[in-house]
Amino acid sequence: MTINEKQDELIEDFELFDDQLDKTQYIIDLGKKLSPIAEDYKTDENLIRGCQSKVWLHSEMRGDVVHFEADSEPTAQISKGLVSLLIKILSDEKPEDVANADLYFIDKIGMSSIITSRRAGGLASMIARMKEFAQRATEKVS
Amino acid sequence: MLDIQKIRQDFPILNEVINGKPLVYFDNAATTQKPLPVLNALTRYYEHYNANIHRGIHHLAEKATSAFEASRHKIQTFLNARHVEEIIFTYGTTDGINLVAQSYGRTFLKEGDEIIISTMEHHSNIVPWQMLCEEKGCVLRVIPINDEGELLMDEYEKMLSEKTKFVSVVHVSNALGTINPVAEIIEKAHAVGAKVLIDGAQASSHIDIDVQALDCDFYVFSLHKLYGPTGMGALYGKKDILNAMPPYRGGGEMIKEVTFAKTTYSDLPYKFEAGTPNIADVVAAYTAVEYVETLGKKQIADYEHELLVYGTDALNTIGGLRLVGTAKEKVSVISFVMDGIHPQDVGVILDQQGIAVRTGHHCTQPLMQRLGIPGTSRASFAVYNTKEEIDKLVVGLERVKKMLS
Ligand SMILES: Cc1ncc(COP(=O)(O)O)c(C=O)c1O
């Protein structure tokens, strides 16, 4: 599936809920399913700044795709859910696709209340970090 | 007895619907909502007599000037200051503290002098003193607290010496609700010859303030936490001390005469009010203070205490919830943490139910470090809040627990 197909699928999933709380519950549950990352990856370098809560993001090349893994401090379940959405959409895709992705799902899932404000700082830094890694990977390849 | 339903009608914002649910506004320690009389005062000013003050001789300028000065008188009586020129308009509490640190501190404090603050200070009452200490080589000392969130007064006494030149403490903690024994703090500081500033940001809307009875040297507060407009506050200072202090911002109303050789400054209070002030908001502040006076501070405090007791009992029924800040003397602020749940997640899920609380460190990071927590969720009540709203908070928090378990 392409990045956009994955986004469209996610948008459809969210259309099933008309209540914000149900959407949030869905995000929390997705976060719970995120595979844990190795403790070694929870470094200062991998820590994303800009959120009230702590999130670590690890990026690596696996063959010709970029692979992302992330985790949050145990109590920050909504942050973990949000990063799991990004991973669902961007992980294991070609670096140039990640670098150029237009992440329109963020507006479309209608979760402005948790994605705006301070948390947006965190989400935006996560996206920036993912794209930066992908961009550097494309430069190495070419 | 206050008629709360009638009071609520004065606050149009309370009719807002958030995420399909009626707004429950419990973030009053950050800023209170504004009643219709205050909103009308603002509009009336802009519609009928907007003009720059003090300089003009035309009708509007005169009307604006007298409304502006009427506010000063209002705040003088509100604080029970002896002289009207002891009231300086500022942009808020933070601005007032900076004024004192920069003007009084830079002039009268020197290397090795000690400044005492407390563990529960807002960053606004920490950073200006740290900046001064760095510049002048003064030493910052910090009064410790107990686990309930009360100042250790005997530790404070031990700290006091002839080296102590300034004490700056919060009247009421924004993060914990603790009411500090400021009269005693002031008396003990004066006994060693130190000057005292009280940060009244959280006290002004809940507690009767009498600066003469307290005998504090400076008192600062913000109008936006007192049902008034944002961007304005007041600094009270004893006249002889203010007179001895140099202005710290130059330009505009603060001068008597300017030549390229020398400038002479205006008298109090104008020497501290450089530039065009926030006229509309100063004017509307009159109405905010009047609104509070009409309801009655005592009546407001009694009702809020009822909410505090009701809220404390109600939240204590929620398993895994722990109150942070359990001082014997408290205003209507309830800070809490929930087992295994990040305060930010609490805030987000409550918001989706229309309930506005504050989460995080509340600009008191050193306090959070002392308590060993990253932050809390905080519900703070104002006169327009109700027990029914607290019931909604309890339901909301049960939902938070269920979603995150
Ligand atoms: C205790 C205390 N001090 C200072 C401030 C700063 O007030 P302002 O932002 O109005 O300058 C606040 C506001 O939250 C406060 O609660």
Side-chain angles (χ1 to χ4, degrees):
Chain A
M1 251 200 288
T2 66
I3 288 179
N4 283 358
E5 283 165 355
K6 288 197 263 181
Q7 292 197 76
D8 293 338
E9 195 181 78
L10 195 72
I11 293 164
E12 253 175 59
D13 287 349
F14 271 84
E15 276 165 1
L16 296 174
F17 308 112
D18 42 32
D19 190 62
Q20 295 281 355
L21 286 164
D22 295 336
K23 290 182 187 178
T24 306
Q25 185 75 67
Y26 185 61
I27 291 177
I28 291 165
D29 294 342
L30 287 175
K32 283 183 187 154
K33 287 189 211 137
L34 193 66
S35 339
I37 65 172
E39 283 302 313
D40 296 359
Y41 292 156
K42 293 189 182 172
T43 59
D44 268 358
E45 221 166 84
N46 282 345
L47 190 63
I48 308 280
R49 317 238 165 236
C51 348
Q52 262 190 43
S53 40
K54 287 188 186 139
V55 172
W56 292 269
L57 174 75
H58 171 73
S59 322
E60 64 182 37
M61 287 302 295
R62 284 197 179 166
D64 61 349
V65 298
V66 269
H67 179 77
F68 298 112
E69 289 175 27
D71 203 351
S72 72
E73 59 184 308
T75 57
Q77 297 195 54
I78 298 180
S79 292
K80 191 168 175 176
L82 288 174
V83 76
S84 81
L85 295 182
L86 291 178
I87 288 182
K88 229 169 138 68
I89 288 178
L90 294 177
S91 191
D92 303 309
E93 295 290 339
K94 294 223 167 57
E96 57 273 24
D97 293 343
V98 173
N100 299 324
D102 167 21
L103 296 173
Y104 53 84
F105 83 95
I106 293 173
D107 276 340
K108 292 272 170 67
I109 61 174
M111 286 297 300
S112 58
S113 72
I114 65 169
I115 286 169
T116 54
S117 79
R118 218 179 295 203
R119 201 175 280 270
L123 200 69
S125 337
M126 283 185 237
I127 295 169
R129 193 75 76 88
M130 288 168 147
K131 289 196 163 193
E132 204 181 286
F133 181 83
Q135 184 63 40
R136 268 190 276 119
T138 59
E139 282 157 13
K140 263 183 220 148
V141 174
S142 60
Chain B
M1 273 274 284
L2 296 172
D3 182 347
I4 303 303
Q5 286 313 322
K6 189 151 162 287
I7 290 172
R8 286 179 70 83
Q9 287 167 13
D10 289 337
F11 293 83
I13 205 167
L14 298 178
N15 299 320
E16 286 297 301
V17 173
I18 311 290
N19 291 319
K21 283 139 193 139
L23 168 68
V24 173
Y25 185 77
F26 281 160
D27 195 14
N28 295 289
T31 197
T32 54
Q33 300 302 344
K34 321 303 171 200
L36 280 169
V38 170
L39 302 178
N40 293 339
L42 281 169
T43 334
R44 208 162 47 239
Y45 168 78
Y46 283 119
E47 278 183 357
H48 296 292
Y49 56 104
N50 170 46
N52 209 332
I53 52 165
H54 296 304
R55 286 151 231 181
I57 47 157
H58 54 80
H59 180 80
L60 295 189
E62 216 159 274
K63 195 162 171 194
T65 304
S66 63
F68 185 85
E69 291 305 325
S71 268
R72 204 186 302 276
H73 280 278
K74 194 80 184 162
I75 290 173
Q76 179 200 354
T77 28
F78 181 70
L79 298 178
N80 191 33
R82 193 180 311 245
H83 308 285
V84 70
E85 63 271 29
E86 294 181 320
I87 306 299
I88 315 288
F89 290 129
T90 64
Y91 295 103
T93 306
T94 309
D95 191 39
I97 297 172
N98 277 283
L99 193 161
V100 175
Q102 289 299 307
S103 170
Y104 183 88
R106 268 166 138 181
T107 313
F108 296 107
L109 299 190
K110 54 179 194 319
E111 195 175 339
D113 285 350
E114 294 183 356
I115 301 168
I116 298 182
I117 60 172
S118 87
T119 306
M120 64 176 89
E121 297 310 317
H122 189 278
H123 296 165
S124 293
N125 198 25
I126 302 174
V127 185
W129 303 112
Q130 280 177 329
M131 288 164 72
L132 182 71
C133 286
E134 232 161 75
E135 188 186 321
K136 305 286 292 188
C138 304
V139 180
L140 199 64
R141 307 204 54 186
V142 184
I143 309 170
I145 57 168
N146 63 22
D147 292 339
E148 283 70 46
E150 295 165 320
L151 294 180
L152 297 178
M153 290 296 284
D154 40 344
E155 295 296 322
Y156 168 60
E157 271 183 68
K158 279 189 235 158
M159 256 175 216
L160 290 166
S161 74
E162 71 282 0
K163 282 197 205 142
T164 312
K165 293 294 185 255
F166 208 95
V167 176
S168 192
V169 289
V170 72
H171 196 162
V172 168
S173 156
N174 65 311
L176 306 175
T178 310
I179 304 173
N180 287 320
V182 287
E184 192 186 334
I185 291 172
I186 294 162
E187 198 191 324
K188 298 213 154 108
H190 283 167
V192 297
K195 298 284 183 271
V196 187
L197 179 146
I198 302 297
D199 170 353
Q202 295 295 335
S204 61
S205 64
H206 304 287
I207 293 176
D208 243 334
I209 296 152
D210 182 338
V211 291
Q212 291 188 65
L214 284 176
D215 195 32
C216 54
D217 301 288
F218 301 99
Y219 198 96
V220 289
F221 71 106
S222 304
L223 261 294
H224 70 94
K225 295 182 196 277
L226 186 81
Y227 309 101
T230 56
M232 81 135 313
L235 158 69
Y236 156 83
K238 282 182 184 161
K239 193 174 163 184
D240 49 339
I241 302 177
L242 289 176
N243 268 328
M245 286 160 54
Y248 102 113
R249 274 202 277 257
E253 195 58 38
M254 51 80 70
I255 56 97
K256 218 172 235 157
E257 193 181 17
V258 178
T259 66
F260 282 118
K262 183 170 171 60
T263 293
T264 50
Y265 302 120
S266 294
D267 296 327
L268 284 179
Y270 308 111
K271 75 169 179 183
F272 290 113
E273 293 177 359
T276 299
N278 188 354
I279 305 167
D281 293 315
V282 168
V283 167
Y286 181 100
T287 316
V289 173
E290 186 176 59
Y291 187 82
V292 169
E293 285 172 348
T294 308
L295 297 183
K297 268 275 183 79
K298 171 93 174 65
Q299 277 81 353
I300 296 176
D302 286 350
Y303 176 64
E304 286 175 345
H305 185 72
E306 225 178 285
L307 292 180
L308 175 69
V309 171
Y310 186 84
T312 304
D313 290 347
L315 263 59
N316 269 330
T317 64
I318 299 174
L321 183 148
R322 179 168 67 84
L323 299 183
V324 179
T326 47
K328 282 184 275 310
E329 299 290 331
K330 268 184 77 169
V331 300
S332 50
V333 166
I334 303 181
S335 242
F336 60 90
V337 290
M338 294 174 84
D339 281 350
I341 300 178
H342 198 281
Q344 197 180 16
D345 289 0
V346 175
V348 166
I349 295 172
L350 287 179
D351 175 59
Q352 292 177 345
Q353 302 173 73
I355 304 169
V357 297
R358 181 61 140 244
T359 65
H361 53 65
H362 314 294
C363 300
T364 55
Q365 281 181 325
L367 173 62
M368 295 300 139
Q369 283 151 19
R370 157 64 180 83
L371 297 169
I373 49 179
T376 72
S377 305
R378 177 188 72 186
S380 50
F381 310 129
V383 67
Y384 41 67
N385 290 127
T386 64
K387 289 181 185 166
E388 291 71 37
E389 288 179 314
I390 293 174
D391 295 341
K392 283 186 189 168
L393 174 65
V394 172
V395 173
L397 288 171
E398 292 290 0
R399 181 84 194 246
V400 169
K401 251 176 72 178
K402 199 166 129 232
M403 283 176 71
L404 294 171
S405 59

